[in-house]
Amino acid sequence: MAIKIALSGAAGNIGYALLPLLASGYVFGSNAIELRLLEIPQAVGSLTGTKMELMDCSFPCLTDVIITTDPLVAFNNADVIILVGGMPRRKGMARKDLIQANTKIFSSMGQAIQSVASPNVKVLVVANPANTNCLVALTEASRIPTKNFCALTYLDHQRAKGQIAARLGVSANCIKNVTIWGNHSETQFPDAFSDGYCVAKDGTKVPLSELLANDTDWVTTDFIYDVQNRGKAVIEARGLSSAMSAAQATADCIRKWLVAGTETGETISMAVYNDQGYYGVKEGIVFSFPCECRNGEWFVKEGLQLSDFSRNKLEETEAELLEEMDGAHELIGIPPVKIRTVSMSTCSSGLSLAATATENDEMSVCLTSRM
């Protein structure tokens, strides 16, 4: 039976770059894939051309491509939902205005998920402000376990790895367990030292705190700033927001989360619903933590020793998320989400595919989110 994948904002630049990764088997291996592409009416023509290209690629795993403007059609019994469509931040727009516009959009997305999606659906939110958009959606989708939602901070995670690799003159694949804490915004805390290491040629894991011991000024200043502002730098250089890297990070996050899992001892950054008060962060917000992935589930890695500097950074990004949460909940007139916990057997989506894996201002008014 085909895995039903719904993608909102499918006609945008991120969607265009992501669709081949989903259809080719890169993410879900040899499993059959059915794509549901959700867009606003004005973008259906463009999306029809994209469907033609998908057909022309003759992907062996792709069984069907459905184009729709109705989230109830796109999300009907969906196994995976990727929410890329949203209102991007326009020139002169305050972040509060961005949150209000997207709260309306993601409230409707959450209601549609609540109504028709598979009870085991897994939802990845890409559109910004991703953490709070994710919180709004999971709040509305009250029958879906909160553990089945995630907001994308894996792009920031990969950006951090790239910066450190360039600094050390090694491959980015050698850099492991950097962590993005908090919000996908300029308050995020890219953390190289708490758990990061580099895999040497002989397989030895060398802590980044040792390799960068004489470079702590860079780690605590320019490195943090550059990762926090990488999306802005891409826009300034390219004239467009990140699309290729955002799509790749989305595909890799889903693959790690639902298919391959993380390697032994490896963590990736995922913005997840904090129902346990991990690392002293207030419960009830979507916050990026170091996560391990096994059998289609994420688990926050606990017990890391954080410096006073790190804890101050966590408090800064936590404060922003609490402010965003208050604004979103006030706008849609509902109290903060109640923690929804389920047993592990119930919470499992049934979508762990490791065994088969191979390597109107509504919805997406603008088709690309600023990443």
Side-chain angles (χ1 to χ4, degrees):
M1 185 178 239
I3 301 170
K4 301 175 180 66
I5 304 172
L7 174 65
S8 76
N13 291 331
I14 295 174
Y16 188 79
L18 176 60
L19 285 169
L21 298 173
L22 296 172
S24 66
Y26 175 82
V27 177
F28 292 103
S30 60
N31 293 278
I33 298 296
E34 177 183 296
L35 292 173
R36 284 96 169 274
L37 310 183
L38 179 62
E39 262 301 351
I40 57 174
Q42 300 94 307
V44 168
S46 172
L47 202 53
T48 301
T50 300
K51 179 178 178 178
M52 293 177 187
E53 289 198 78
L54 287 167
M55 293 172 61
D56 294 345
C57 288
S58 297
F59 292 118
C61 301
L62 185 60
T63 62
D64 198 8
V65 180
I66 298 168
I67 296 174
T68 182
T69 61
D70 185 352
L72 294 176
V73 173
F75 299 165
N76 186 36
N77 206 32
D79 299 303
V80 178
I81 297 174
I82 307 168
L83 298 176
V84 176
M87 171 75 77
R89 193 169 185 172
R90 295 169 174 166
K91 187 175 182 179
M93 179 184 282
R95 188 170 179 84
K96 181 179 179 181
D97 296 331
L98 178 70
I99 291 166
Q100 290 181 343
N102 280 286
T103 293
K104 295 176 183 177
I105 295 169
F106 281 82
S107 176
S108 66
M109 294 294 102
Q111 290 168 13
I113 292 169
Q114 169 74 1
S115 296
V116 299
S118 163
N120 298 316
V121 68
K122 295 294 178 75
V123 181
L124 177 62
V125 176
V126 177
N128 288 324
N131 296 56
T132 297
N133 287 344
C134 183
L135 180 63
V136 170
L138 70 84
T139 299
E140 298 284 17
S142 58
R143 71 182 177 88
I144 309 298
T146 54
K147 197 173 177 69
N148 289 21
F149 288 79
C150 170
L152 184 72
T153 52
Y154 194 68
L155 173 57
D156 307 298
H157 180 96
Q158 297 292 72
R159 287 167 170 168
K161 286 176 58 177
Q163 292 293 312
I164 293 170
R167 193 75 172 181
L168 294 176
V170 299
S171 166
N173 193 48
C174 296
I175 306 301
K176 304 290 185 181
N177 289 25
V178 296
T179 300
I180 304 298
W181 300 90
N183 202 2
H184 175 65
S185 75
E186 292 177 11
T187 69
Q188 67 176 261
F189 173 43
D191 180 6
F193 281 173
S194 294
D195 197 35
Y197 62 88
C198 179
V199 181
K201 291 182 179 179
D202 62 0
T204 304
K205 298 178 180 179
V206 184
L208 293 179
S209 57
E210 292 183 13
L211 292 175
L212 296 168
N214 296 322
D215 214 0
T216 55
D217 285 346
W218 175 79
V219 171
T220 56
T221 55
D222 290 350
F223 165 68
I224 293 174
Y225 178 87
D226 288 345
V227 176
Q228 289 173 335
N229 292 277
R230 187 66 164 185
K232 185 187 299 183
V234 169
I235 292 172
E236 291 175 355
R238 183 171 176 258
L240 295 168
S241 58
S242 302
M244 176 175 58
S245 58
Q248 187 67 48
T250 298
D252 287 337
C253 181
I254 294 172
R255 190 174 184 279
K256 289 277 190 181
W257 179 16
L258 302 182
V259 185
T262 51
E263 299 173 5
T264 302
E266 178 193 17
T267 62
I268 62 172
S269 301
M270 299 174 67
V272 298
Y273 184 70
N274 181 26
D275 62 355
Q276 300 294 324
Y278 300 109
Y279 291 96
V281 175
K282 186 175 178 62
E283 296 178 8
I285 56 178
V286 172
F287 196 95
S288 184
F289 292 106
C291 293
E292 299 171 336
C293 298
R294 299 186 297 276
N295 301 318
E297 298 291 337
W298 55 261
F299 305 87
V300 173
K301 181 175 181 176
E302 300 185 72
L304 296 180
Q305 298 300 309
L306 302 183
S307 66
D308 290 342
F309 176 85
S310 298
R311 291 205 170 274
N312 288 336
K313 291 295 184 182
L314 262 66
E315 290 174 2
E316 290 176 13
T317 193
E318 176 191 34
E320 181 182 55
L321 282 166
L322 289 171
E323 183 179 351
E324 289 185 12
M325 179 187 71
D326 290 343
H329 285 138
E330 180 181 346
L331 185 65
I332 58 179
I334 57 175
V337 65
K338 294 180 180 179
I339 298 171
R340 302 194 293 276
T341 57
V342 293
S343 67
M344 284 305 297
S345 59
T346 304
C347 190
S348 177
S349 69
L351 199 63
S352 176
L353 305 170
T356 56
T358 61
E359 294 278 86
N360 122 7
D361 275 350
E362 295 292 347
M363 222 235 340
S364 72
V365 170
C366 291
L367 302 174
T368 56
S369 298
R370 292 194 174 187
M371 301 305 296

